[in-house]
Amino acid sequence: MQHPPEGDAVPAAVEVRGLRKEFDGKVAVEGVDLTIPRGSFYGLVGPNGAGKTTSLSMITGLLRPDAGTVTVAGYDVWQDPYEAKHRIGILPDGLRLFERLSGRELLRYTGRLRELPAPDTEARAEELLDVLGLTEAGDKLVVDYSTGMRKKIGLAAALLHNPPVLFLDEPFESVDPVSAETIREVLRQYTATGSTVVFSSHVMELVAALCTHVAILAKGRVIADGTLDEVRAGRSLNERFMELVGTPAGKAKGGSLAWLGSSSG
Amino acid sequence: MVGVFVGLKLALLRSSLRRSTARAVGFVAGTVISVAGACYAAVGLALGQGEPDAPDVAVLAFAGLAVAWLVLPLSFGAGGDESSDPTRLAVLPVRPRRLIAGATASALIGPGPLCTLVLITGAVVGAAEGALGSFSAALVTVLAVPLMLLLCVVASRALLASFARALTGRRGKDAAALGGVLTAVGGYAAYLLLTTAGSGLALPPLVVRVLRWTPPGWPADAIRAAADGRTATALLELAGTAALIALLMVWWHASLARLMTTTDSSTAQAVKVRAGRTTGLRARLLTSSRTLLVAHHQFSAFARSPRHRMTMIAALAYALLFPVVMAAVGMRTPYAAVGGAWVFGLTVPGVLFALDGSAIWSNVATLRTVAHARAELVGRLLPQLVVIAPWLTAVATGVALVSGRTDQLAAALGVSFALLGVTFAMGMAISVFHPYPYPEDPWSVSAPGQSGGYHLANFLSSILGVVAVVPVIAGAIALNGSVFLWLLLPLGTAYGLLAVLVTLRTMGRRLFDKAPEILTTLRMS
């Protein structure tokens, strides 16, 4: 029930066409098209304000687009939310969690909202807590969690119903190296079985190390996308990104800020 | 530094209003209404000039204002005022005196201080009979106004700074929230007693005499002393007030210095909760019914989250106090329980989405059918109903027994339940059409005036709710004294239930359709 019907002709896990969103007359996302192959580890990179979070919110059904269509696992997110929402796992950025639940209770609540059978929820929750190193903290309230623990419990909640497609908004931001490695390992295992991960980040090294596919977003548009090797075109992803997005770092080289560091204070 | 602080405050205010037209309208409307209310009260106070008890009224008014300034910011945050948090300037080299001067200046800007100024002026005019007879008396009278305003503002900020560390910790917030509710409820009782005590001021003279000796009483008493020609006493009282303000500023600064150089409470010990059994009948029920699941979750929120608990305890306390105070002033009838039902209605929008804020994304992400959306609404109202209905019944029964009006009990409950149903319905509509996010952290939010529009809408809708139960009230009047009066219990209950069911149908649909938009609004907290 969690994978597309037999004979499904749609090859992509996620299809995004002409996605657009304005906030008070200011365009945040301006016609984004993406084709995310099934089983891929897809990185969405871009500078701050490029529209990554807005795009991911619209793709996962949390923010209504002004225009455009999103299909996840063959189901239109905005026309057929009943089928689509079932196939989506989300770790959003900048949204609250239920702070007064313990980590374990949060997973149970999520499992019940997802209508999973109770024994399945219980078994999966314990396994996820164990793998993510949260067993000890399982009975602590989320309000007392560190940022890394929050990301991990959020990831556990997103994985609980074993969705075919997982969307993660900045899963590694403010996460310590140990937790980050744990998250990476869980995601590798998840994609190895044919499931799809889409995540946003601005850490190029991480994206280059993890992803099979990349899309670069800037000013609400996709300016490059494809397999990692196609996008970086023989250079490092960081170099390619700077070249495409443009960098003001040149200004600093050109003699501005001459006063900086010369003072003896 | 004063200019910098004032500029910062104005900039924060401007940018928070610029984020949304609705907020700006709400802020302006809220300000206009509260200033108009303050003007109305001030005119009332001023017109008391010449009455024999006018100076006592001024003492009472000053004492009330001082208590309000001390208590309200502690329990509700400093009115969403980021500029009131000078710890943000910890890394800047600012001298203490300039820091306090600047922070005081910025604290004087806003609707709260404006209303206070209006009220103080009214009370002073009321007490100022004969004060213009001599230059010294006039001077005392004029000086009393700014001194009293400064006393309120500085005392409030000093107290807030000294408790800031305790308040920013989770347990501190929990305690402050609860303490704030109890104080607010107590204040409400005092207010009801004062305003309904019949002819003018029925306070024992002893109370006024004691209040006159407390700091807020000094500037008020100075006016009378000056008018009576006791200039030395008057000047002494004003000097005392000024000295107290200076002392409070020293305390304020010491607290700030401590705040800037000590650790916060983020390293505090975490609480552990034991999750109950998850298999068996309860787990199956919670998995099979989203309504029960949401209701169960809501119950645990009341048990653990102080802000959820605070709304509920406040409503329960008001519902109990209203009939008690009404009885104290002569209205001995179970119909007083209706007031409690009205207060519960005001909590509904908070309980529906506002308290959870953007955390409801996980519910939105799993909202797959209209039935799910209705389950969200019913599940969040069910715990309310389970607590409120027995409470109102108990309160009304208690009042009926004590007052000997058991004949009115059934009808009073009928009207109460009808009003409860209608206010629940209104609350659902408000939540779905005009959702409002409570700020995540009321002690450090930077958005003054966010809540004006919401509170206004909520208040107006609750007035509308009273209008909507007019048929039931008319029934109670028509059947008064008749043997069929008890019929109002089933009829009123059915009326309330019908209001909830009809609204639930349309609002469930609307919630399903507009859940992303509601989440977008709640995200702004």
Side-chain angles (χ1 to χ4, degrees):
Chain A
M1 161 167 194
Q2 288 173 18
H3 289 280
E6 289 288 320
D8 188 351
V10 184
V14 183
E15 291 258 18
V16 178
R17 291 289 166 263
L19 206 57
R20 200 186 140 77
K21 185 73 188 176
E22 273 185 31
F23 292 110
D24 297 328
K26 193 172 170 293
V27 179
V29 172
E30 196 170 12
V32 161
D33 296 306
L34 289 173
T35 303
I36 298 174
R38 192 174 295 165
S40 62
F41 207 128
Y42 203 99
L44 214 54
V45 298
N48 289 330
K52 302 189 293 289
T53 294
T54 308
S55 298
L56 281 178
S57 298
M58 290 190 286
I59 294 171
T60 52
L62 293 180
L63 178 70
R64 194 184 309 277
D66 294 339
T69 57
V70 183
T71 320
V72 172
Y75 295 98
D76 189 309
V77 171
W78 290 97
Q79 296 302 316
D80 191 0
Y82 184 82
E83 293 296 339
K85 282 182 171 180
H86 193 59
R87 291 165 172 79
I88 295 175
I90 320 170
L91 171 64
D93 188 42
L95 292 179
R96 281 194 235 170
L97 294 169
F98 286 107
E99 307 273 317
R100 302 283 168 159
L101 295 182
S102 69
R104 189 168 273 120
E105 288 172 326
L106 186 71
L107 294 186
R108 267 179 208 163
Y109 183 59
T110 308
R112 285 164 181 165
L113 281 177
R114 294 274 182 195
E115 296 172 340
L116 287 178
D120 287 8
T121 302
E122 193 63 12
R124 290 179 184 186
E126 290 308 322
E127 264 186 73
L128 283 164
L129 288 173
D130 181 38
V131 170
L132 291 165
L134 290 173
T135 307
E136 275 287 295
D139 288 333
K140 281 188 193 165
L141 297 185
V142 174
V143 72
D144 291 323
Y145 275 22
S146 68
T147 313
M149 290 159 83
R150 278 164 188 269
K151 292 280 185 194
K152 288 196 284 185
I153 199 71
L155 178 66
L159 286 169
L160 199 62
H161 62 297
N162 190 23
V165 190
L166 186 61
F167 296 91
L168 314 169
D169 197 356
E170 301 284 0
F172 299 103
E173 203 177 36
S174 314
V175 173
D176 68 276
V178 179
S179 300
E181 183 50 37
T182 311
I183 295 177
R184 273 201 292 272
E185 199 41 56
V186 171
L187 294 181
R188 277 197 206 103
Q189 193 186 331
Y190 171 76
T191 46
T193 58
S195 301
T196 311
V197 171
V198 184
F199 82 103
S200 71
S201 177
H202 29 251
V203 185
M204 294 304 149
E205 293 74 18
L206 197 77
V207 174
L210 279 176
C211 292
T212 57
H213 295 69
V214 179
I216 299 178
L217 251 74
K219 293 177 182 160
R221 292 172 181 277
V222 177
I223 52 174
D225 66 326
T227 65
L228 180 64
D229 289 333
E230 283 168 8
V231 170
R232 65 183 170 189
R235 272 159 296 170
S236 84
L237 185 62
N238 199 46
E239 283 170 356
R240 182 71 180 135
F241 178 80
M242 292 304 168
E243 183 185 303
L244 285 169
V245 172
T247 161
K251 281 186 190 166
K253 288 180 192 158
S256 307
L257 298 184
W259 49 271
L260 188 65
S262 59
S263 142
S264 58
Chain B
M1 195 46 60
V2 169
V4 173
F5 270 82
V6 170
L8 176 66
K9 172 93 173 222
L10 292 176
L12 284 171
L13 185 65
R14 223 175 11 246
S15 52
S16 97
L17 293 182
R18 208 175 282 160
R19 274 182 76 188
S20 131
T21 320
R23 269 181 206 181
V25 170
F27 177 74
V28 172
T31 307
V32 167
I33 289 175
S34 45
V35 172
C39 286
Y40 176 76
V43 168
L45 288 167
L47 287 178
Q49 198 188 68
E51 303 281 337
D53 61 1
D56 290 350
V57 173
V59 170
L60 274 178
F62 278 24
L65 282 171
V67 169
W69 271 91
L70 288 180
V71 169
L72 293 181
L74 271 189
S75 40
F76 302 108
D81 182 357
E82 203 171 52
S83 65
S84 75
D85 184 4
T87 52
R88 281 166 200 275
L89 305 173
V91 294
L92 297 179
V94 184
R95 291 196 187 285
R97 208 174 286 180
R98 303 177 69 194
L99 180 71
I100 294 298
T104 306
S106 90
L108 286 169
I109 299 170
L114 182 61
C115 291
T116 309
L117 180 66
V118 169
L119 285 171
I120 292 174
T121 310
V124 166
V125 171
E129 200 198 14
L132 297 177
S134 71
F135 173 74
S136 58
L139 186 69
V140 166
T141 307
V142 171
L143 277 178
V145 176
L147 278 176
M148 182 58 201
L149 182 63
L150 271 177
L151 182 66
C152 288
V153 171
V154 172
S156 160
R157 290 302 158 101
L159 192 71
L160 206 58
S162 107
F163 281 99
R165 197 58 90 205
L167 285 174
T168 47
R170 179 160 52 73
R171 283 157 191 241
K173 280 180 195 171
D174 294 9
L178 203 62
V181 168
L182 296 180
T183 322
V185 168
Y188 171 74
Y191 166 80
L192 275 182
L193 272 174
L194 277 179
T195 50
T196 52
S199 57
L201 214 61
L203 266 191
L206 178 71
V207 175
V208 180
R209 218 178 301 148
V210 169
L211 285 178
R212 202 180 293 146
W213 285 102
T214 62
W218 299 342
D221 194 60
I223 301 164
R224 174 163 51 188
D228 292 350
R230 293 178 284 127
T231 312
T233 311
L235 288 177
L236 200 65
E237 282 177 313
L238 285 192
T241 311
L244 181 64
I245 293 171
L247 273 176
L248 284 168
M249 283 179 166
V250 172
W251 181 38
W252 184 7
H253 179 257
S255 303
L256 288 181
R258 193 163 39 83
L259 269 182
M260 292 182 198
T261 51
T262 50
T263 55
D264 66 13
S265 53
S266 61
T267 47
Q269 189 64 40
V271 171
K272 283 207 169 195
V273 292
R274 266 200 343 174
R277 276 161 48 80
T278 57
T279 42
L281 183 64
R282 196 177 74 153
R284 273 206 303 281
L285 271 179
L286 293 180
T287 310
S288 62
S289 159
R290 187 159 175 140
T291 306
L292 288 182
L293 173 64
V294 173
H296 177 259
H297 177 69
Q298 201 69 21
F299 258 124
S300 87
F302 284 129
R304 292 195 196 151
S305 153
R307 298 179 81 189
H308 277 80
R309 197 162 54 220
M310 173 175 148
T311 50
M312 189 59 108
I313 292 178
L316 290 173
Y318 284 139
L320 179 64
L321 270 173
F322 187 74
V324 169
V325 173
M326 283 295 141
V329 298
M331 187 190 167
R332 289 159 206 274
T333 160
Y335 281 117
V338 175
W342 183 75
V343 172
F344 277 116
L346 292 174
T347 67
V348 171
V351 171
L352 278 176
F353 306 128
L355 285 165
D356 283 340
S358 64
I360 64 154
W361 71 264
S362 57
N363 300 56
V364 174
T366 53
L367 213 55
R368 294 165 69 201
T369 60
V370 179
H372 282 164
R374 293 197 181 115
E376 288 286 332
L377 291 171
V378 178
R380 279 152 197 272
L381 287 177
L382 211 54
Q384 292 272 96
L385 188 66
V386 168
V387 174
I388 292 164
W391 183 256
L392 283 178
T393 308
V395 168
T397 309
V399 176
L401 289 175
V402 170
S403 62
R405 295 306 306 261
T406 42
D407 57 315
Q408 293 177 338
L409 177 60
L413 283 175
V415 178
S416 296
F417 292 156
L419 183 59
L420 202 59
V422 168
T423 52
F424 273 24
M426 295 280 177
M428 275 194 270
I430 291 273
S431 299
V432 174
F433 276 96
H434 189 68
Y436 156 75
Y438 282 3
E440 186 166 5
D441 183 355
W443 285 273
S444 68
V445 286
S446 56
Q450 269 191 33
S451 55
Y454 154 78
H455 287 301
L456 193 65
N458 195 18
F459 182 74
L460 289 180
S461 83
S462 68
I463 299 281
L464 212 62
V466 177
V467 175
V469 287
V470 160
V472 182
I473 296 173
I477 295 169
L479 292 175
N480 192 23
S482 129
V483 287
F484 296 110
L485 189 60
W486 64 270
L487 271 175
L488 269 148
L489 180 54
L491 287 177
T493 310
Y495 191 90
L497 205 59
L498 192 70
V500 169
L501 291 177
V502 167
T503 319
L504 186 63
R505 264 203 85 70
T506 46
M507 290 308 129
R509 176 88 237 170
R510 167 108 189 157
L511 174 61
F512 181 71
D513 290 339
K514 294 290 173 190
E517 280 73 15
I518 292 171
L519 180 63
T520 304
T521 312
L522 295 175
R523 217 184 251 262
M524 289 166 86
S525 66

